[in-house]
Amino acid sequence: MNAPKVGIIGPRRVRQGLGPFVARDLVAAGAEVPCFLVTSERSIASAHEELARAAGVSARAYTDVERMLDDEALDAVAILSPAETHLEHLQRALRHGLATLCEKPFIWGVPHLHAVTEEIVAEFAAREILLYENCLWPFTLPAFERLHPGSLEAPPRTFRMELQPASRGVQAIGDSLPHTLSLLQALVPGDAPEISGFACDAPRPPTGAGAITVRFRYESSGHACDVEVLLHDDDVFPRRAAIALDG
């Protein structure tokens, strides 16, 4: 069996990009990364450097996505570009019949966000094309269980998460809550979860500085969990990241 060929859309770490790291993990999993897409010619050299350093990849560069998808015999694409570009790339991947890994937030910055998301997911499903959102945090749960034996035996009643997104304001919520929701889907499983009581306390003028606090109730398959997410607005490094289940 030939190694699957995966094109990278967004190979650099300009904002919060994971392009070099996803390429590294694709190669480690046995895939080939023959090409990548950037937005301009001046980005090509740095993209080559980042991919070579992280993944040992020497790939062909494109600045025109349609040309890349037409010229390359790809099996899949990894969409790692800024969130506001995801929808257009998802639609292109669907037209070309390509399996797709998409960074979170899955779709962002478009009107009727929920309806558009449901439609694109349904189209991938109807054509039986693999579609996967890049959700990392559930893979930390086995380590959490080793630190706190028995903590995952039952769905939690309370869940708290702290993050330090590089973005600010509403964008910080869009960048962060997919992490929270992916964990809740793992911790409180079920096919039709519901969210209620959503509230957000944001920093107020004149400084506008401080943490954003998001609260809501997550219910699935008869289990309910009260959720609090604290989004820090500072430049501490390494970035803060923490979860707590039932305290």
Side-chain angles (χ1 to χ4, degrees):
M1 179 178 177
N2 294 329
K5 296 180 180 179
V6 185
I8 302 290
I9 298 176
R12 302 167 63 218
R13 297 212 68 207
V14 178
R15 286 196 337 210
Q16 303 180 74
L18 298 179
F21 307 120
V22 172
R24 174 197 64 194
D25 291 347
L26 286 168
V27 171
E32 293 182 17
V33 178
C35 59
F36 63 82
L37 176 78
V38 291
T39 55
S40 67
E41 295 283 345
R42 63 178 179 272
S43 302
I44 291 176
S46 58
H48 273 303
E49 292 174 4
E50 291 190 48
L51 289 174
R53 182 168 57 250
V57 167
S58 178
R60 290 176 289 277
Y62 291 84
T63 57
D64 184 314
V65 62
E66 291 294 347
R67 182 181 174 191
M68 183 180 85
L69 298 181
D70 287 339
D71 290 357
E72 300 284 344
L74 296 176
D75 300 294
V77 291
I79 301 173
L80 309 166
S81 52
E84 58 269 20
T85 69
H86 288 181
L87 177 58
E88 59 187 275
H89 292 314
L90 285 163
Q91 291 169 334
R92 289 187 178 100
L94 185 63
R95 287 197 299 270
H96 286 265
L98 298 174
T100 302
L101 170 69
C102 186
E103 182 57 282
K104 57 82 195 164
F106 181 67
I107 295 175
W108 189 252
V110 301
H112 312 296
L113 184 62
H114 182 265
V116 170
T117 301
E118 281 196 329
E119 181 179 356
I120 198 78
V121 169
E123 289 176 354
F124 270 88
R127 294 186 56 184
E128 298 184 338
I129 301 172
L130 180 65
L131 175 64
Y132 200 95
E133 184 179 12
N134 191 31
C135 295
L136 313 178
W137 272 88
F139 294 96
T140 69
L141 291 176
F144 191 93
E145 170 67 22
R146 289 196 297 273
L147 287 168
H148 306 282
S151 59
L152 305 185
E153 290 179 356
R157 297 178 301 279
T158 64
F159 178 84
R160 178 182 170 89
M161 189 171 196
E162 295 191 30
L163 292 169
Q164 185 187 328
S167 49
R168 300 291 181 265
V170 173
Q171 185 65 48
I173 296 173
D175 286 338
S176 302
L177 287 194
H179 293 312
T180 306
L181 293 172
S182 68
L183 281 166
L184 290 168
Q185 288 171 335
L187 293 166
V188 191
D191 292 332
E194 295 184 358
I195 289 175
S196 60
F198 188 92
C200 179
D201 297 328
R204 300 183 180 279
T207 64
I212 296 174
T213 303
V214 176
R215 297 182 181 88
F216 58 90
R217 188 170 179 83
Y218 186 93
E219 298 182 66
S220 182
S221 297
H223 297 283
C225 182
D226 292 320
V227 181
E228 181 178 77
V229 184
L230 190 64
L231 304 179
H232 295 280
D233 179 6
D234 53 43
D235 296 320
V236 174
F237 188 82
R239 294 181 190 173
R240 300 183 223 190
I243 60 173
L245 280 63
D246 290 329

